[in-house]
């Protein structure tokens, strides 16, 4: 059995490398405005909480016009996705080429446990932002490019399951930010981690 998530796959599956989130190409002035907006949003969200910050406040703190902000990000959920982008790409790179057990070279069961821990670390650290990005509209979570990456990675690791694709979706459901926001405060992080690993 090949334990590397980048190993042989069925003809219908897409290699993980093709699913990772690519960096966005942009003009110099657009890049400067994006950095200013994301820095201002991250600072305000950390200081006041995601729900308490308006798009107007972010535009003012970033020194850009409201039109610039809304054209680029549309709403706070668009800002949340942009703020999470770099963190998601970092986790994707560690899965593809980092050291085992998260990266290639460990048995699938160890990689699965490492993924659950790394993903929970990421989501719980940025819970309000992830929750906003996943619930902005019906089905938003499943349209995010990173979801396809996580799903494909888990499908590969779960290839010995009766239905790897469906099992991967079920496991990702337990890792959803809305679910975690509702359960971690009640059950505690350690119990949630143990329960999700038991499901896997």
């Amino acid at each position: 059995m090949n334990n590397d998530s980048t190993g042989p796959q069925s003809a219908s599956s897409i290699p993980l490398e093709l699913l990772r989130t690519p960096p966005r190409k942009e003009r110099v002035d657009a890049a400067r405005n994006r950095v200013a907006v994301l820095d201002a949003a991250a600072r305000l969200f950390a200081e006041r909480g995601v729900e308490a910050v308006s798009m107007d406040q972010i535009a003012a703190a970033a020194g850009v016009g409201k039109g610039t902000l809304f054209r680029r990000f549309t709403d706070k959920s668009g800002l949340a996705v942009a703020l999470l982008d770099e963190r998601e790409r970092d986790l994707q790179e560690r899965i593809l080429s980092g050291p085992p057990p998260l990266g290639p070279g460990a048995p699938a069961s160890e990689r699965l446990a490492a993924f659950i821990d790394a993903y929970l670390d990421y989501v719980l650290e940025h819970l309000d932002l992830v929750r906003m990005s996943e619930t902005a509209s019906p089905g938003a979570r499943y349209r995010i490019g990173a979801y396809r990456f996580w799903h494909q990675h888990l499908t590969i690791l779960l290839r010995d399951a009766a239905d790897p694709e469906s099992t991967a979706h079920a496991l990702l459901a337990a890792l959803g930010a809305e679910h975690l926001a509702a359960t971690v405060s009640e059950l505690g992080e350690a119990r949630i981690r143990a329960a999700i690993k038991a499901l896997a």
Side-chain angles (χ1 to χ4, degrees), residues 119 123 127 130-131 134 141 171-183 196:
Y119 190 83
V123 173
L127 188 57
V130 177
R131 185 178 183 196
E134 290 182 355
R141 182 182 191 211
L171 187 54
L172 286 168
L175 291 166
E178 185 78 358
H179 172 74
L180 292 171
T183 57
I196 294 173

Side-chain angles (χ1 to χ4, degrees), residues 51 75 77 80-81 127-144 176-179 181:
E51 294 299 324
D75 56 21
S77 65
V81 170
L127 188 57
D128 288 342
L129 287 175
V130 177
R131 185 178 183 196
M132 179 176 286
S133 74
E134 290 182 355
T135 61
S137 62
R141 182 182 191 211
Y142 307 99
R143 292 189 300 273
I144 297 168
E178 185 78 358
H179 172 74

Side-chain angles (χ1 to χ4, degrees), residues 6-158:
T6 60
Q9 303 165 42
S10 69
S12 64
S13 62
I14 301 170
L16 278 178
E17 291 84 356
L18 299 180
L19 291 175
R20 74 179 144 193
T21 308
R24 188 175 186 161
K25 294 179 182 176
E26 57 193 342
R27 296 183 332 264
V28 173
D29 61 328
R32 186 176 54 248
N33 285 342
R34 178 181 54 80
V35 169
V37 166
L38 294 179
D39 286 349
R43 187 180 74 254
L44 291 173
F45 288 161
E47 290 171 0
R48 304 177 192 172
V50 174
E51 294 299 324
V53 177
S54 71
M55 292 289 276
D56 288 353
Q57 291 168 328
I58 294 167
V64 302
K66 288 190 287 186
T68 298
L69 178 62
F70 281 97
R71 273 192 304 277
R72 181 64 184 264
F73 299 103
T74 308
D75 56 21
K76 281 200 293 187
S77 65
L79 269 170
V81 170
L83 283 167
L84 294 169
D85 180 63
E86 186 176 333
R87 293 156 181 92
E88 289 173 341
R89 277 191 277 121
D90 174 66
L91 181 52
Q92 290 169 1
E93 288 301 320
R94 289 189 289 141
I95 287 168
L96 289 170
S97 57
L102 183 60
S109 60
E110 291 178 23
R111 294 197 72 195
L112 186 56
F115 171 79
I116 290 168
D117 279 330
Y119 190 83
L120 281 170
D121 290 345
Y122 153 71
V123 173
L124 294 175
E125 183 178 351
H126 310 287
L127 188 57
D128 288 342
L129 287 175
V130 177
R131 185 178 183 196
M132 179 176 286
S133 74
E134 290 182 355
T135 61
S137 62
R141 182 182 191 211
Y142 307 99
R143 292 189 300 273
I144 297 168
Y147 183 88
R148 290 189 298 275
F149 182 97
W150 314 134
H151 180 263
Q152 181 68 8
H153 178 55
L154 288 178
T155 298
I156 293 165
L157 294 181
L158 294 164

